[in-house]
Amino acid sequence: MNNAHIDVRTVLFWGISAVILLILPQLFPLGYLVNAMITTVVWIIFALAFDLSAGHVGAVSLGHAVFFGVGAYVAAIAAPQLGLGYFGSMGLSAVTMGILALIAGIAFFRIAEVSFAIGTLGALIIAQQIANNAYDLTNGPMCIQSVPNPTIHLPGNAISVTQPVEYYYALLPLLLLTLIVYRLLTTQRIGRAFASVREDEVRASAMGVHPLRYKLLAFSVGGALIGALGSFQAQYITVVCPSELAIDYTLTMLIIVFVGGAGRMRGVVIGAILFNTLPRILENIGGGTIPPAYQQVIYGLILLGVVLYMPDGIDGLITRLTGGRKSKRQVVTDA
Amino acid sequence: MSIELEIFLETIINGLTLGALYALVTMGLALIFGVARLVNFAHGDLFMIGGYALFVLLGVEGMELPYVLIVPLVVIVTMAFSWIIERTVIHRVINQSWRVHAVATLGISIVLQNIALILFTTDPKQTPTIFSRQIIEPFGVRMSMQRVIILVVVIVVFLGLQYFVRRTKLGKAIRAVSQNRDMCAIVGIDVKKIVMITFVISGGLAGLAGALLAPLYSVTPMMGSLLTLKGLAAVVLGGLGYINGAVFAAFGLGIIEALFSTYVSFAFKDVIVFGIFILFLFFRPQGIFGRRVGL
């Protein structure tokens, strides 16, 4: 997209989306609905940050939950001791997780492709076992209870965040930041460099694009965003458990990103929204809750169906149905 | 014999059994990776299916099947499952990138684990056999007969696999495909069929591991997840698809894990296994023996 002449439809779309996001909790001020909205926004941020490396530079890390879980632990352990407020805590988690991602990236990008996925998953298992057993630091499976409710320091006064609606509005800045960063990194020159690294690293470096540099950029920015999200989660749930490092997060992200459409912002956002609303809709139709195991089977089958028959995900389907212009980006699923 | 020495020997035997388990799992993973460049994240779930197949077959009322007869049956059951998985999913994605492989096999893994969860709940199922109850004491070291059987079976399977891929026509075709697929297609080898056969054999090996190991531990829906990862770690350490290297790495990981559990900390044993794995990759990304082409 050329910035010189901005598409009217695009402006309209983002404007309407922003208004909906802002007034939604006012239309449905029920606690559980607002909590559902928060979860959805959490997953949108999580999946977009994951997609930066998985969908754009082709580095499918299976250990991204490390940044989320460790970010949450940083917010639960270090931030209160430093007396940081809501945004300070997020910043601390973002910086530490960004640095961790940078170091991990330097180590893990030495190994190619498959080994990268296996190695990052190994790192997640390590983090999980430490969280479960380092009682002095993390309280193990007893969890860190009572993370203080966040306060937002404004010039003049400090607001204490306690209600779901307040949490919702407090999370929106991170969503905005994620969307902007995602847009900046995936379009224009950097976006083209990302795509060239994803498609063929050797060819990319022959064209003067340094693959490692771009992979590290995507990986550490994604890590920092997820770290900030982990900090939000810690302050929102106010309990941090080793389960924040569960492999389930990795699987959920794969489902959202690949079903939605890897490497496409619209697809990833739709994937996250569907993932959170579909079970609730099904429950309303079926008139009862679906046991988690059945839900997982359905998710697994949907994922397989998408991989086999819809490699571009839902986003690709929308593009085809609306007869929209073919995406310039090639699909991540190409060899 | 001093108690220290006894503990040490028991630890080594534990390590060897663990290594044998990892070896059996990793052989299948290395085989299919070598032939089709497929990372199978659902491999451990075939191991899990083997465990439940053993549980079901042991529980059949009225016909008390002997364990030695049940094990081949379990292998056949897991091979059937592998065949279904290959026909429905794997063969459609086999020519795509490793990312698609990873996502597809993780999808299979989610489905299999949760179906097992629905059918059998999370309660661990016990599958004792006459061998797991039988304790022998050679040289004063106590161990269950089941461990001896595992070690023997793994050695036999390893040698059998060597013979199979080097001496038989089918095995030679499998090796040929692992070395150069295009050339194989040109000389008339049915590459797709070879991939299918390899996948089924690989699944059978996972099922065998399940049938051998379940009597020592217990069967749960998630029992395969960590094992897949450790098996894959051994595959990577062994040099991606080089079976002998992977088996060597598997035994190494098993013995290190057992020693660490006994002498340092049981709770952090996976930290050390994956820590070593990651450190090793950092200094030697090509694996212990370097990268080779083909099996």
Side-chain angles (χ1 to χ4, degrees):
Chain A
M1 197 191 307
N2 196 333
N3 273 347
H5 37 85
I6 293 165
D7 195 358
V8 179
R9 279 195 306 175
T10 313
V11 174
L12 217 58
F13 172 77
W14 288 108
I16 293 171
S17 303
V19 170
I20 291 175
L21 271 174
L22 284 171
I23 63 164
L24 209 54
Q26 307 300 331
L27 294 177
F28 306 99
L30 294 165
Y32 82 99
L33 279 177
V34 177
N35 282 326
M37 289 173 211
I38 293 174
T39 316
T40 309
V41 175
V42 165
W43 277 117
I44 291 174
I45 298 171
F46 209 145
L48 283 173
F50 172 70
D51 189 49
L52 273 180
S53 56
H56 288 279
V57 291
V60 180
S61 143
L62 300 179
H64 256 61
V66 168
F67 305 127
F68 187 72
V70 180
Y73 273 113
V74 167
I77 298 168
Q81 282 181 5
L82 296 170
L84 294 173
Y86 175 76
F87 288 111
S89 168
M90 268 191 179
L92 178 70
S93 291
V95 170
T96 48
M97 289 308 102
I99 293 169
L100 181 68
L102 193 65
I103 296 168
I106 291 170
F108 283 119
F109 286 131
R110 281 172 60 88
I111 49 181
E113 311 196 323
V114 184
S115 315
F116 175 78
I118 300 164
T120 47
L121 192 49
L124 179 61
I125 304 289
I126 291 178
Q128 224 175 64
Q129 202 160 52
I130 291 175
N132 258 315
N133 292 295
Y135 290 93
D136 300 337
L137 192 64
T138 64
N139 243 354
M142 318 280 281
C143 306
I144 297 181
Q145 311 280 347
S146 63
V147 179
N149 277 97
T151 37
I152 298 174
H153 299 284
L154 295 174
N157 63 335
I159 310 162
S160 180
V161 182
T162 49
Q163 296 303 310
V165 181
E166 294 163 357
Y167 275 106
Y168 177 82
Y169 285 117
L171 179 58
L172 287 185
L174 185 61
L175 176 66
L176 184 66
L177 179 70
T178 307
L179 290 170
I180 291 171
V181 167
Y182 187 95
R183 198 95 198 143
L184 285 177
L185 287 185
T186 57
T187 53
Q188 311 292 337
R189 206 186 70 80
I190 300 177
R192 289 196 297 274
F194 277 176
S196 73
V197 170
R198 180 188 65 218
E199 298 309 331
D200 190 336
E201 284 189 25
V202 179
R203 199 167 57 195
S205 49
M207 304 295 284
V209 174
H210 195 302
L212 181 64
R213 236 172 262 167
Y214 287 95
K215 284 184 349 190
L216 283 178
L217 178 66
F219 200 60
S220 51
V221 169
L225 288 171
I226 294 176
L229 193 65
S231 161
F232 170 81
Q233 183 80 354
Q235 301 182 69
Y236 167 52
I237 310 282
T238 68
V239 177
V240 179
C241 295
S243 58
E244 302 298 344
L245 290 155
I247 185 160
D248 304 29
Y249 282 111
T250 296
L251 296 177
T252 304
M253 261 182 298
L254 286 178
I255 292 168
I256 289 175
V257 166
F258 281 86
V259 171
R264 296 129 187 265
M265 184 198 256
R266 182 177 64 179
V268 174
V269 172
I270 292 173
I273 293 173
L274 275 185
F275 184 84
N276 284 287
T277 49
L278 208 59
R280 287 165 220 275
I281 294 170
L282 287 177
E283 274 165 20
N284 279 334
I285 296 170
T289 52
I290 307 161
Y294 287 86
Q295 277 187 31
Q296 292 292 321
V297 172
I298 295 169
Y299 288 143
L301 290 175
I302 291 176
L303 183 63
L304 286 175
V306 167
V307 168
L308 293 181
Y309 302 107
M310 249 165 57
D312 300 358
I314 294 171
D315 188 76
L317 189 72
I318 294 172
T319 309
R320 238 180 304 155
L321 288 181
T322 54
R325 59 188 186 283
K326 261 199 161 164
S327 174
K328 269 176 280 178
R329 255 170 262 139
Q330 242 191 315
V331 194
V332 67
T333 46
D334 295 350
Chain B
M1 188 162 39
S2 70
I3 190 83
E4 282 85 15
L5 186 62
E6 209 169 302
I7 290 174
F8 178 73
L9 286 177
E10 269 175 30
T11 306
I12 293 294
I13 287 167
N14 275 341
L16 285 174
T17 330
L18 214 52
L21 163 68
Y22 296 160
L24 209 48
V25 169
T26 215
M27 265 187 250
L29 282 166
L31 195 62
I32 192 65
F33 187 86
V35 170
R37 292 280 167 273
L38 176 79
V39 204
N40 184 9
F41 280 99
H43 193 73
D45 302 303
L46 291 163
F47 167 82
M48 177 267 293
I49 289 173
Y52 278 114
L54 176 69
F55 171 73
V56 170
L57 288 168
L58 279 174
V60 176
E61 291 287 329
M63 45 183 233
E64 313 297 311
L65 290 169
Y67 182 60
V68 282
L69 209 74
I70 290 182
V71 173
L73 281 178
V74 169
V75 173
I76 292 169
V77 169
T78 44
M79 282 177 133
F81 269 95
S82 314
W83 182 76
I84 295 169
I85 292 169
E86 208 282 336
R87 286 291 90 193
T88 48
V89 181
I90 302 296
H91 86 108
R92 292 170 205 259
V93 297
I94 203 73
N95 290 326
Q96 293 179 7
S97 76
W98 68 275
R99 287 162 222 149
V100 182
H101 292 173
V103 175
T105 54
L106 279 167
I108 295 168
S109 174
I110 297 173
V111 172
L112 291 179
Q113 283 183 11
N114 286 287
I115 289 179
L117 192 66
I118 292 166
L119 292 177
F120 297 101
T121 71
T122 49
D123 299 339
K125 301 281 188 256
Q126 308 299 330
T127 54
T129 66
I130 44 166
F131 301 112
S132 63
R133 291 197 211 95
Q134 190 182 347
I135 305 292
I136 54 166
E137 295 193 31
F139 318 113
V141 184
R142 285 171 57 84
M143 59 171 143
S144 96
M145 193 63 196
Q146 188 78 23
R147 289 185 191 273
V148 181
I149 292 177
I150 291 172
L151 276 173
V152 172
V153 171
V154 168
I155 292 166
V156 169
V157 168
F158 178 68
L159 294 177
L161 198 62
Q162 294 294 324
Y163 177 83
F164 172 69
V165 296
R166 287 180 200 285
R167 294 277 178 270
T168 64
K169 202 175 174 198
L170 181 60
K172 284 178 184 169
I174 287 176
R175 269 176 68 211
V177 172
S178 78
Q179 282 159 6
N180 192 332
R181 292 176 75 161
D182 298 338
M183 200 57 86
C184 285
I186 290 170
V187 297
I189 295 174
D190 188 345
V191 173
K192 283 192 165 175
K193 199 171 153 198
I194 293 293
V195 168
M196 186 192 80
I197 291 170
T198 311
F199 191 81
V200 171
I201 293 173
S202 155
L205 288 172
L208 178 64
L212 289 174
L213 246 290
L216 284 182
Y217 303 98
S218 51
V219 187
T220 60
M222 309 299 164
M223 69 193 283
S225 311
L226 202 55
L227 200 60
T228 309
L229 197 53
K230 285 182 181 168
L232 285 172
V235 170
V236 173
L237 287 176
L240 285 172
Y242 173 44
I243 291 184
N244 299 6
V247 169
F248 181 85
F251 274 102
L253 286 180
I255 289 171
I256 289 169
E257 186 178 328
L259 286 172
F260 190 83
S261 306
T262 306
Y263 293 108
V264 188
S265 155
F266 181 78
F268 290 99
K269 64 184 165 65
D270 296 331
V271 173
I272 199 70
V273 167
F274 289 112
I276 287 176
F277 166 61
I278 289 167
L279 274 181
F280 203 95
L281 283 183
F282 188 68
F283 293 108
R284 211 175 147 72
Q286 69 275 45
I288 303 172
F289 304 103
R291 202 157 302 201
R292 299 195 172 198
V293 178
L295 292 174

